[in-house]
Amino acid sequence: MVAQLIVNGIVYSSIIVLASIGLSLVYSIGNFANFAHGDTMAVGAFVALASAPLVQAIVPGVTIAGFPLWFFGALLVGMAAAAVVAVVTEYVVYRPLDSSAIGLLITSIGVALAYRALLLMQFGPGQQSYPVSRGGRIPWVESALGVSVTARDVVIVFSSIVLVASLHAMLQYTTLGRKMRAMADNAELARVSGIRTGEVIIAMWVIGAALAGAGGVFLGLDTIIRPRMGFELLLLIFAAVILGGIGSVYGAMLGGFAIGMAHELTPAIPFIGTEYNAAVAFLVMIAILLVRPNGILGGDAT
Amino acid sequence: MSVFCAAQSAKRASSRVSSSGSARKSAQRLSKYAASAAPLALSGAAKGAALAEMIFEDGHDSVAVTWINNDYGQSLAEVFEETFEGDIAYIEPHEPEGSSYRGEIAEMGDTDATAWLFITYADEVTVFINEAFDQGYNEEIAYYGAESTIADEILANTEPGSQEGLTGITESAPEGQENYESYASRFEEEFGQAPTVWSAYAYDAFTVSAIAIEAADEFTGASISEVVRDVTRPSGDEVFTFEAAKEILEDGGTPDDIDYQGVSGPIDLDENGDPPGYYQVYSVQDHEYVWGDYITS
Amino acid sequence: MSDDSSGFRQDPVGALRAWWTDAERADRLVYTAIAAVVVLLTVGVAIGSIGIRYVAGLLVLVAMYSLLTTGLNVQWGYAGLINFSVIAFWGIGAYTAMLVSSANSPLELGWHPAAAIPLAIVAGTVVAVFIGIPTLRLREDYLAIASLGLAEVVRLILLNERQWTAGSQGISGIPVPLSWLPFGTRTAVLLIGAVLLLAVYLFVRRIHRSPWGRVQRTVRADEDLAEALGKDSYRLKMQAFVIGSVVMTLSGVLYVFYAQFLGPADLLPLETFYVWVALILGGTGSDKGALLGGAVIVLIREGTRFLSGTAAFDLLQTGLEVVGILTHINTASLRLFAVGVLIVLVIRYRPEGLLPPREELIWPDAKRRAEVSGDRSAHGDAPGAVAEPVPETGSDDEGEEK
């Protein structure tokens, strides 16, 4: 059982990592806790779902290892939509606000509720799934390792690795990445040294929201799509970011992995029922905070 | 909605309970009493026992049960646990409206149960079936369900083959029985749609209450509950309507002389006030629902 | 009791008139609106178009929400603590009452329901301290997440530990104290609600207008400064956290007397955010504002329910279906949207709320002396500014007022 749980954990962690990175970016560059991040994931998931018919018509019906190509097109649409929504929200809601970090936090709650309400009003409260067949497990993995891995699992993990690697490359090797790291480190100094902070903030929203959107699409692929999917994950994402250390994107990756694994490995813990898996992840966070209040990689720059 | 419709038609029957000036008040009290009696009729007691019997007789000595964490799931699971003759390897609740049940599936798969019973609703069982399919359990395990795990949307949202052979039981009205047919056609006339088995239950709950009130010595809870079982048990003449029962009583009959046959089945309340269940077996063949025998517990 | 009550007793009309002229113009608007609503309701009930039972039920809900908002105000308004587990403490109070007094409780204790109040206070204190210890030393957004997690853990425990809490089945029926009065149970509940609310309001007003309240304000504004001045900010935050949580548990006790049924599903995370909206809308840091916020929330809930029953709403639905967007609009989603937009709008355009704290921290005695000397600068201002030192009468009792 444990081996299968580990596999489940790897898949789930990929989703959490994507979401945590986005949240960590907003925390370190935008300087507030964005409670609308979970619902941004939901936006990505739903737009991808809604765009499926259109994308299916355009993209050739090719499959990669049994997985349809059009899905990746829908994924990109979902990511783009999440980014657009985030940027619009930044201009309409956050930028005109002359408020403290706490004021922004509370405002982001209002934004979260508004996103969720719009999704509810447009799509209804029920659960839906992507029109991708489930396929079942990959036989040779089953016989080789004794665990069940489906094509979906592979797509999720593989795509997440690609996205995270791209982000890393961007942060380390591009000008924009340098600017973002500078702003995360010390916003005043960055501004003084000529970095257009406004631009960087837009980039932060675009990248953070796009990653969240991707996380949402994968969450919907892995489980189901419904309007409250984002809020349900919010606690875990925050736990991951805090665990990894606010202000560190790499910390968020580590934290995301840890929280995702803890969540899926709960059945292996004796005396604690599966129904407490959210509590376990949360308790892991509290435990680490007691020992290292700044998180694993906290205090460092991006 | 169907319960209200049944309540309406039963209320009309019950307003003939007494021709005195307190007719309306009695009818009101009756509605309140029957409204609490209807859930009794819908209790899972008989169903849980029927499921236990069915699964055991299919040759499964070891079963894993996952039940939805609310009173529906809890009560059905409790009865199942009491009546299943084999070994229950796992019986745990799962959260309603969950997005993933991998943990539960992992735990169930870790036992040596050869059958899994899903006491849950359509949305949840869809997730279970899909995730179990991802791990290949559909080939090794016999799935069982109850009345809420049969729905077209479940078929639509799962892969063909992922729940092949899933077997369950669901309430069924005794189609063909005369009083059910006349009830059904009256219902359709009145409300423009066929009655569900739930409205049949509610109708019977009201009618039985009305007969019991007539038969009781006084209009108190205690004396009504004394006679309510007698009027349904197989001793006495079979009656199919409230009017017929009333006639027998007016002729000087006792509650024992009446055996009310309801529109939802023979009723026959046992010492807990529960009716025996009347069910039909269904199973999934080639990703379609196929109906089987009737069973009763 | 504060001194202005004696002024009121001696010359009620004069005191009222003074209060009216003292009030800021924006506040006067709010008071007039409140009066108008009260008048409308009274007329509606008198002519029979609004049921008195319905209004009585609404009033109990207002009391419940006002209690919750007042509790949150002590935590957020006074001390700057972000607590997202409001509903969990409500649940703790509600479950304590049900478990000890209900005939259907799995604990089968059958104690008198009046025991629920002190027990809820104890339970709330214990849990608040338990949560506060790891989190109050951390930064404020950590407390936000931790409290959110706590709320979930509480809900899970209530749902899954069936042998103690009856789990998803819930518990029904609790005897109501004071029901031996000739007015009936519903009136008893209303009376209990009114008494609880009044007692809590007077209590928080007292502790707010005290050195303790002033120190809290400093901690909220600048914790490092408070520490530099020698205040134990951790202890102060813990006190505010516990007091606020206890008030929230009392609101849960009131609820079960009213609703007569309780289940884990009642602990909706959304309710926590309703209370936050209530506080921000009413006026962060303002005791009166907290009461008003409670009333406004009930108004919004009833209002949206009422709205979605109207013909205008049906027209909207049909129109949207024609266009093909937002086709699943209904009461719940509309309400959710309204609350979200409301939060954004209030923070943007009126962050101080409808009834911002004006004179919360000024001793009326000091204000009178300042007026006598012709100096009106002793008016209070919104939280965020460090309190000015004001001469006090009587002994200099620093520190905790509990």
Side-chain angles (χ1 to χ4, degrees):
Chain A
M1 174 169 84
V2 177
Q4 183 64 48
L5 292 179
I6 293 179
V7 169
N8 296 348
I10 293 176
V11 177
Y12 200 64
S13 298
S14 310
I15 299 170
I16 306 267
V17 164
L18 284 177
S20 310
I21 295 177
L23 183 68
S24 183
L25 276 175
V26 176
Y27 238 136
S28 54
I29 299 177
N31 267 318
F32 76 100
N34 180 20
F35 271 70
H37 198 74
D39 294 283
T40 310
M41 292 173 76
V43 169
F46 270 100
V47 172
L49 178 69
S51 74
L54 188 63
V55 178
Q56 273 178 309
I58 299 179
V59 173
V62 178
T63 60
I64 305 180
F67 207 80
L69 187 62
W70 68 259
F71 177 78
F72 295 97
L75 170 67
L76 289 173
V77 173
M79 288 170 71
V84 166
V85 167
V87 171
V88 168
T89 312
E90 158 71 10
Y91 275 117
V92 171
V93 175
Y94 298 123
R95 196 163 281 197
L97 211 59
D98 177 29
S99 184
S100 61
I102 300 304
L104 287 169
L105 187 160
I106 299 178
T107 307
S108 73
I109 294 177
V111 170
L113 296 182
Y115 285 176
R116 203 176 325 148
L118 286 169
L119 288 175
L120 275 168
M121 293 198 262
Q122 178 65 29
F123 297 99
Q127 59 189 51
Q128 310 187 49
S129 357
Y130 292 109
V132 177
S133 89
R134 288 198 79 94
R137 61 209 195 291
I138 301 174
W140 58 263
V141 176
E142 173 83 32
S143 24
L145 300 170
V147 291
S148 303
V149 172
T150 67
R152 299 177 163 215
D153 296 336
V154 173
V155 164
I156 291 173
V157 175
F158 186 69
S159 311
S160 304
I161 293 177
V162 167
L163 285 170
V164 171
S166 315
L167 178 75
H168 168 74
M170 196 256 338
L171 281 177
Q172 295 297 339
Y173 303 122
T174 67
T175 321
L176 177 63
R178 255 197 303 277
K179 290 185 194 170
M180 289 177 87
R181 280 185 291 137
M183 256 203 89
D185 204 16
N186 188 331
E188 285 308 320
L189 193 56
R191 196 173 298 132
V192 159
S193 51
I195 295 178
R196 287 166 177 263
T197 52
E199 276 177 11
V200 176
I201 289 188
I202 297 296
M204 162 198 94
W205 281 115
V206 168
I207 295 174
L211 288 175
V217 171
F218 293 143
L219 180 65
L221 184 67
D222 190 43
T223 59
I224 50 176
I225 307 167
R226 61 183 177 193
R228 63 185 138 102
M229 60 195 288
F231 184 68
E232 289 169 353
L233 224 58
L234 197 64
L235 182 61
L236 292 177
I237 303 171
F238 266 104
V241 170
I242 292 175
L243 179 58
I246 294 182
S248 167
V249 167
Y250 298 103
M253 294 180 200
L254 275 178
F257 188 73
I259 292 291
M261 292 302 281
H263 188 263
E264 289 299 305
L265 283 172
T266 310
I269 305 175
F271 306 124
I272 299 186
T274 318
E275 58 267 19
Y276 282 113
N277 56 6
V280 165
F282 165 71
L283 285 173
V284 165
M285 175 193 86
I286 292 277
I288 302 284
L289 279 182
L290 285 176
V291 173
R292 258 190 86 83
N294 277 331
I296 302 177
L297 292 182
D300 296 331
T302 321
Chain B
M1 199 269 273
S2 55
V3 178
F4 284 128
C5 296
Q8 292 276 61
S9 52
K11 220 191 225 178
R12 242 166 273 138
S14 69
S15 64
R16 288 173 254 156
V17 165
S18 89
S19 46
S20 74
S22 63
R24 205 173 70 146
K25 202 124 193 259
S26 310
Q28 282 174 2
R29 264 188 252 161
L30 174 66
S31 316
K32 264 200 201 153
Y33 173 72
S36 59
L40 266 184
L42 307 178
S43 85
K47 197 182 320 169
L51 275 170
E53 201 180 310
M54 180 172 74
I55 296 178
F56 189 69
E57 303 209 328
D58 278 355
H60 299 286
D61 302 323
S62 179
V63 66
V65 182
T66 181
W67 51 276
I68 189 165
N69 200 348
N70 59 22
D71 15 322
Y72 160 71
Q74 191 171 339
S75 58
L76 201 50
E78 273 170 11
V79 175
F80 183 86
E81 191 167 13
E82 280 166 33
T83 52
F84 186 67
E85 290 170 33
D87 167 50
I88 297 190
Y90 173 97
I91 181 159
E92 294 289 331
H94 58 263
E95 182 133 353
E97 299 179 356
S99 57
S100 167
Y101 292 116
R102 282 206 194 100
E104 285 81 356
I105 291 174
E107 288 180 332
M108 287 164 84
D110 211 32
T111 67
D112 55 5
T114 53
W116 288 1
L117 173 60
F118 298 106
I119 300 176
T120 185
Y121 300 146
D123 278 349
E124 288 80 359
V125 82
T126 304
V127 177
F128 267 107
I129 289 174
N130 280 332
E131 290 184 336
F133 176 65
D134 284 345
Q135 299 185 34
Y137 286 111
N138 58 311
E139 291 164 14
E140 309 162 4
I141 307 286
Y143 294 165
Y144 288 89
E147 80 298 335
S148 296
T149 51
I150 170 173
D152 288 331
E153 52 190 34
I154 304 178
L155 289 179
N157 287 321
T158 55
E159 295 290 315
S162 59
Q163 45 172 321
E164 190 69 16
L166 182 148
T167 308
I169 60 175
T170 178
E171 283 77 359
S172 174
E175 273 139 22
Q177 192 172 304
E178 194 197 308
N179 66 338
Y180 174 76
E181 294 300 329
S182 81
Y183 162 74
S185 53
R186 265 185 297 140
F187 191 97
E188 196 143 1
E189 259 176 54
E190 182 84 28
F191 300 112
Q193 52 185 237
T196 65
V197 66
W198 310 107
S199 43
Y201 273 148
Y203 179 84
D204 280 335
F206 275 96
T207 314
V208 166
S209 312
I211 297 176
I213 290 174
E214 270 302 297
D217 297 322
E218 28 178 63
F219 193 72
T220 65
S223 61
I224 291 176
S225 56
E226 261 173 55
V227 299
V228 75
R229 277 180 285 289
D230 294 335
V231 301
T232 65
R233 272 211 299 262
S235 71
D237 299 328
E238 284 189 0
V239 297
F240 295 92
T241 63
F242 169 76
E243 288 81 357
K246 189 155 181 237
E247 250 179 65
I248 293 183
L249 290 169
E250 280 171 355
D251 283 345
T254 64
D256 253 338
D257 292 331
I258 301 175
D259 174 21
Y260 175 67
Q261 300 289 306
V263 298
S264 64
I267 313 291
D268 295 342
L269 299 175
D270 65 10
E271 65 267 10
N272 291 325
D274 290 322
Y278 197 78
Y279 307 107
Q280 190 171 19
V281 177
Y282 68 87
S283 63
V284 177
Q285 309 287 343
D286 291 332
H287 210 62
E288 290 286 330
Y289 290 120
V290 168
W291 294 96
D293 304 322
Y294 288 96
I295 61 175
T296 167
S297 69
Chain C
M1 270 299 302
S2 57
D3 295 288
D4 52 359
S5 67
S6 54
F8 181 76
R9 250 178 269 132
Q10 283 163 7
D11 176 20
V13 178
L16 274 174
R17 198 176 294 142
W19 167 73
W20 182 256
T21 39
D22 277 351
E24 306 265 339
R25 198 158 149 257
D27 289 1
R28 281 195 220 169
L29 227 71
V30 173
Y31 292 134
T32 320
I34 296 174
V37 168
V38 171
V39 165
L40 271 174
L41 274 179
T42 325
V43 167
V45 168
I47 65 176
S49 61
I50 309 178
I52 188 159
R53 264 194 182 172
Y54 172 70
V55 172
L58 279 189
L59 287 176
V60 174
L61 282 178
V62 169
M64 182 187 91
Y65 276 109
S66 296
L67 279 171
L68 284 171
T69 316
T70 306
L72 186 62
N73 192 29
V74 173
Q75 296 173 339
W76 165 241
Y78 297 7
L81 302 171
I82 304 183
N83 178 13
F84 285 148
S85 63
V86 175
I87 196 66
F89 284 101
W90 175 93
I92 288 169
Y95 263 92
T96 306
M98 270 299 195
L99 287 176
V100 304
S101 293
S102 171
N104 297 318
S105 146
L107 297 184
E108 290 178 359
L109 292 170
W111 291 350
H112 191 278
I117 293 179
L119 282 171
I121 294 178
V122 169
T125 310
V126 167
V127 178
V129 170
F130 187 65
I131 295 311
I133 290 179
T135 52
L136 286 180
R137 292 195 197 270
L138 307 172
R139 36 188 281 184
E140 40 201 6
D141 35 7
Y142 281 22
L143 176 61
I145 300 304
S147 56
L148 202 59
L150 161 74
E152 181 63 9
V153 171
V154 167
R155 189 189 67 87
L156 284 176
I157 293 177
L158 290 173
L159 179 65
N160 290 305
E161 300 306 317
R162 290 181 294 285
Q163 67 277 26
W164 297 324
T165 66
S168 54
Q169 270 182 327
I171 311 177
S172 67
I174 184 173
V176 178
L178 297 184
S179 46
W180 43 263
L181 285 178
F183 313 114
T185 329
R186 285 175 205 267
T187 327
V189 174
L190 197 53
L191 197 60
I192 296 171
V195 166
L196 270 177
L197 191 60
L198 187 65
V200 165
Y201 176 73
L202 292 174
F203 174 72
V204 298
R205 210 168 72 128
R206 180 74 181 91
I207 65 173
H208 203 184
R209 298 184 191 203
S210 73
W212 183 86
R214 224 181 323 269
V215 168
Q216 289 289 2
R217 217 168 149 203
T218 314
V219 169
R220 183 186 208 272
D222 191 335
E223 192 170 339
D224 294 330
L225 174 61
E227 288 275 332
L229 290 175
K231 307 298 175 196
D232 183 348
S233 66
Y234 170 71
R235 188 139 155 246
L236 286 163
K237 288 200 285 188
M238 181 64 89
Q239 287 163 357
F241 192 64
V242 169
I243 293 175
S245 301
V246 161
V247 172
M248 292 174 190
T249 59
L250 291 176
S251 124
V253 173
L254 176 64
Y255 174 77
V256 292
F257 290 149
Y258 164 70
Q260 293 290 320
F261 177 82
L262 180 69
D266 292 323
L267 274 78
L268 273 181
L270 193 57
E271 292 288 328
T272 295
F273 296 122
Y274 280 153
V275 178
W276 271 90
V277 172
L279 181 57
I280 299 171
L281 202 52
T284 310
S286 157
D287 304 312
K288 288 203 246 318
L291 297 184
L292 178 62
V296 170
I297 276 296
V298 174
L299 210 70
I300 292 177
R301 292 178 58 123
E302 292 306 303
T304 44
R305 193 175 304 162
F306 171 70
L307 267 179
S308 57
T310 59
F313 188 70
D314 290 335
L315 200 63
L316 177 69
Q317 269 182 315
T318 335
L320 288 172
E321 270 182 51
V322 165
V323 179
I325 59 167
L326 297 188
T327 45
H328 291 95
I329 193 170
N330 63 8
T331 323
S333 51
L334 197 62
R335 191 181 293 161
L336 192 64
F337 187 68
V339 170
V341 170
L342 202 60
I343 292 178
V344 174
L345 289 177
V346 172
I347 298 279
R348 168 89 187 271
Y349 293 112
R350 205 176 154 87
E352 69 273 19
L354 291 171
L355 274 185
R358 303 275 185 209
E359 304 176 348
E360 247 73 345
L361 296 182
I362 310 297
W363 275 127
D365 211 42
K367 193 172 70 121
R368 218 171 298 126
R369 265 187 281 121
E371 279 168 16
V372 160
S373 65
D375 172 15
R376 305 273 297 172
S377 68
H379 261 262
D381 43 36
V386 179
E388 300 173 34
V390 174
E392 303 165 15
T393 51
S395 59
D396 192 347
D397 50 336
E398 282 289 358
E400 306 83 67
E401 290 253 17
K402 255 198 80 152

